[in-house]
Amino acid sequence: MSNPTLRTRFAPSPTGYLHIGGARTALFNWLLARRLGGKFILRIEDTDQQRNIPEAEAKLMQDMRWLGIDWDEGPDVSGPHGPYRQSERLDAYRAAADKLIDAGLAYFAFDTAEELDALRKQAAAEKKAFKYARPNPLPSRADADRARAAGKPVVIRLAVPHVEMVVHDEILGDVTFAAGEVEDFVIFKSDGFPTYHFAVVLDDDHMQITHVLRAQEHLMNTPKHIFIQRALGFRTPQYAHLPLVFNMDGSKMSKRDKAKDIAAGRLPREIDVHDFRVSGYLPEAIVNFIALVGWSPGQDREKMTRDEMTQLFTLDRINKTSGRFDRDKLLAMNTDYIAAATPARLLSGFRDYAAATNSPLAALDDAKLAAALAACKGFRTFKDIDTKVGPLFAADESITFNPDAVAKTLAKNNGQGYATLEKLTPVLESVATWTAENLDAAIKNYCEQNAAKMGDVAQPLRVALTGNTISPSIGETLTLLGRDATLRRVRRCRETRS
């Protein structure tokens, strides 16, 4: 089925990296457009001058491209319905606002913040819900000019009709808002910029958006948008409000979670797409996982290719209730993707991770890096590679010895680990061809001759070579490090014995 007139969009604000919930919204819009042969548009909503962050637009685009979500029209892709940044469309917003003013469908208002606050307090004292009272007669342009000259903030409010509003939602069904529930709200701010509500309606119409898929938290905004559409004579697109993304404890998955974790002395949780990238996840695993947060492909399917997701995606399979973001399940899925990946895919995936994190392993040539990846078979994220083999490629003098590892592995039982390193040194020196097989055989032979367990030998070696007790199998560890560096580090460790 192909529907070239179907047009979806993703419209983030440039306030930082892409939130994982926003990524899911972008993905669902992308999947619908791709499945039905339509167009997917990227629009940047940058009219909130106080929240915009320089370079954030580039970060958002980078995150989306990393996930494999491309767009047919956008700020960096030519299209017939641009410009695709709101800040470049201010003249269109002003012209539309003037049209509504002239038609008596919107009006100037110049209440100060103090005056509005007093009205709210009065309503609260009377145990009434605050609702802005429309002036009669409506202020004229001359009234607005005098207010500006007096230093008052001049805004434009929509004159909302006193009628019931029924929002038809493709996921939730019909949602009714009673007459009078929506007050006369601001569509143009005193700083000369449109509000989100006004700009989004004009943009969607100008860009011929037919389907708006966005989070359920926007459902309360939709009556406002339809009132603006009716005032301007615009058609109403099809709305589908997506279930929110919650943590497993039922709390909303928010960027503030990271600040809370830091304040509590915990390792910050991944919240943004970039967080998962630098934690070493594969983008295909992230996409597969977030597709399942609030959507079901049916038949208990979980692991899917991008093409399979596209073929299976329909709005009627999106849940009405909030989705839970199960990090343990995501980690398990990423582990499965890594296990199934080709060596070439792992190599390119690690290169991407290394570039994003300035990993010291980025300097390795492909052959050495491929060997390191193979030695860490069974790893869960690319960060595990840095942990497991990173010390093997660091400078000798940068290796610090973990006090707990030294106490439990080297110093315990009157320095048994140090004694093992001393006895093992000539064994290692005698290995003529430095391969994992030869080294494993030499260490096994040492264990048999000295009635020692492999762990009693391998662990002291790991501490000597890496400063800790984590590395690949001991034969592969020694091979990756190389003969000279191995002997040098064993000698250095023995010399630290007090």
Side-chain angles (χ1 to χ4, degrees):
M1 186 193 311
S2 178
N3 183 1
T5 62
L6 181 143
R7 293 171 63 84
T8 68
R9 50 80 167 171
F10 179 58
S13 298
T15 57
Y17 286 110
L18 179 61
H19 185 276
I20 198 69
R24 191 201 57 171
T25 297
L27 175 65
F28 282 9
N29 279 279
W30 183 90
L31 286 170
L32 184 65
R34 294 294 176 258
R35 181 175 186 273
L36 298 178
K39 300 290 185 182
F40 173 65
I41 291 85
L42 175 64
R43 182 172 75 225
I44 302 298
E45 298 191 341
D46 60 348
T47 57
D48 191 334
Q49 298 298 292
Q50 293 184 343
R51 294 182 66 230
N52 293 345
I53 297 175
E55 309 302 324
E57 179 182 311
K59 290 177 180 178
L60 288 165
M61 291 183 180
Q62 184 183 70
D63 289 341
M64 291 178 68
R65 287 199 169 100
W66 182 71
L67 292 172
I69 301 174
D70 57 348
W71 46 95
D72 302 296
E73 301 171 28
D76 61 339
V77 179
S78 61
H81 303 288
Y84 297 93
R85 294 184 186 89
Q86 287 185 336
S87 59
E88 298 171 5
R89 291 179 36 75
L90 296 180
D91 288 345
Y93 305 138
R94 293 189 185 104
D98 285 341
K99 179 181 176 181
L100 293 179
I101 289 282
D102 293 341
L105 300 175
Y107 57 90
F108 296 105
F110 25 84
D111 312 88
T112 65
E114 293 76 17
E115 288 168 343
L116 288 171
D117 186 53
L119 291 172
R120 290 190 182 94
K121 288 179 178 177
Q122 180 181 341
E126 296 173 357
K127 297 184 179 179
K128 296 178 181 178
F130 172 72
K131 184 181 176 183
Y132 188 84
R134 186 183 307 168
N136 186 18
L138 297 179
S140 66
R141 291 186 183 276
D143 293 330
D145 290 340
R146 282 191 290 272
R148 285 194 193 93
K152 285 197 165 189
V154 178
V155 302
I156 299 175
R157 289 179 179 267
L158 187 74
V160 177
H162 190 81
V163 296
E164 179 182 86
M165 168 67 70
V166 178
V167 174
H168 177 71
D169 187 274
E170 297 297 322
I171 299 170
L172 302 173
D174 288 343
V175 183
T176 301
F177 296 82
E181 191 170 337
V182 179
E183 68 172 352
D184 290 359
F185 57 94
V186 176
I187 60 173
F188 233 89
K189 297 176 289 186
S190 59
D191 63 2
F193 282 83
T195 62
Y196 158 76
H197 304 296
F198 196 58
V200 74
V201 168
L202 267 74
D203 293 344
D204 283 346
D205 187 77
H206 174 73
M207 296 173 191
Q208 299 180 11
I209 302 303
T210 61
H211 292 70
V212 174
L213 278 62
R214 59 188 182 188
Q216 278 183 18
E217 61 191 356
H218 285 290
L219 179 61
M220 301 305 293
N221 295 328
T222 306
K224 296 180 179 180
H225 299 173
I226 296 177
F227 278 127
I228 295 172
Q229 290 157 6
R230 290 178 180 178
L232 291 169
F234 292 167
R235 56 173 180 69
T236 295
Q238 293 184 46
Y239 286 103
H241 289 91
L242 309 173
L244 298 178
V245 179
F246 281 5
N247 292 308
M248 292 304 290
D249 63 5
S251 61
K252 186 179 176 183
M253 196 172 177
S254 166
K255 292 193 176 190
R256 289 187 291 272
D257 288 346
K258 286 193 281 189
K260 292 177 184 175
D261 288 339
I262 292 171
R266 297 187 298 261
L267 188 68
R269 282 168 285 183
E270 297 98 345
I271 300 294
D272 299 323
V273 169
H274 186 71
D275 297 335
F276 292 96
R277 187 178 189 180
V278 299
S279 288
Y281 285 79
L282 281 169
E284 50 266 43
I286 296 289
V287 167
N288 191 159
F289 180 79
I290 63 174
L292 297 172
V293 181
W295 171 69
S296 171
Q299 299 179 343
D300 294 324
R301 295 185 64 141
E302 287 200 333
K303 192 173 181 182
M304 296 170 286
T305 65
R306 189 73 58 100
D307 287 343
E308 288 170 335
M309 261 182 269
T310 302
Q311 291 302 315
L312 293 167
F313 187 80
T314 57
L315 294 180
D316 60 0
R317 285 193 170 275
I318 296 177
N319 302 334
K320 291 181 174 64
T321 57
S322 301
R324 292 292 195 270
F325 197 93
D326 187 338
R327 287 179 170 80
D328 291 337
K329 189 171 183 178
L330 170 58
L331 183 57
M333 181 173 281
N334 195 69
T335 304
D336 290 343
Y337 265 91
I338 283 174
T342 64
R345 177 65 190 104
L346 291 180
L347 191 64
S348 65
F350 187 87
R351 288 286 184 209
D352 174 81
Y353 160 79
T357 60
N358 294 317
S359 166
L361 303 185
L364 297 183
D365 60 37
D366 283 354
K368 199 74 170 176
L369 182 54
L373 291 168
C376 295
K377 186 176 181 180
F379 65 92
R380 313 198 75 180
T381 69
F382 288 122
K383 184 178 283 189
D384 295 342
I385 306 299
D386 270 340
T387 301
K388 231 175 178 184
V389 303
L392 301 178
F393 299 99
D396 292 349
E397 59 273 15
S398 71
I399 301 300
T400 58
F401 298 101
N402 183 307
D404 288 340
V406 170
K408 294 177 182 178
T409 308
L410 298 178
K412 190 176 179 180
N413 296 330
N414 295 318
Q416 183 177 331
Y418 286 113
T420 297
L421 291 178
E422 185 174 353
K423 293 179 189 177
L424 196 60
T425 299
V427 174
L428 296 175
E429 290 174 336
S430 69
V431 177
T433 305
W434 198 264
T435 64
E437 294 78 11
N438 290 345
L439 289 161
D440 281 334
I443 294 172
K444 183 179 179 181
N445 184 58
Y446 171 87
C447 290
E448 290 173 351
Q449 290 181 358
N450 292 272
K453 296 177 181 178
M454 177 62 79
D456 294 334
V457 178
Q459 289 301 78
L461 261 179
R462 284 192 173 92
V463 176
L465 303 181
T466 70
N468 220 316
T469 56
I470 300 172
S471 80
S473 70
I474 198 61
E476 289 176 314
T477 297
L478 295 169
T479 304
L480 287 171
L481 184 56
R483 185 179 191 278
D484 291 346
T486 295
L487 297 174
R488 193 167 58 243
R489 290 191 185 188
V490 169
R491 191 179 310 114
R492 176 174 177 258
C493 180
R494 286 168 52 192
E495 290 171 353
T496 64
R497 184 177 184 180
S498 54

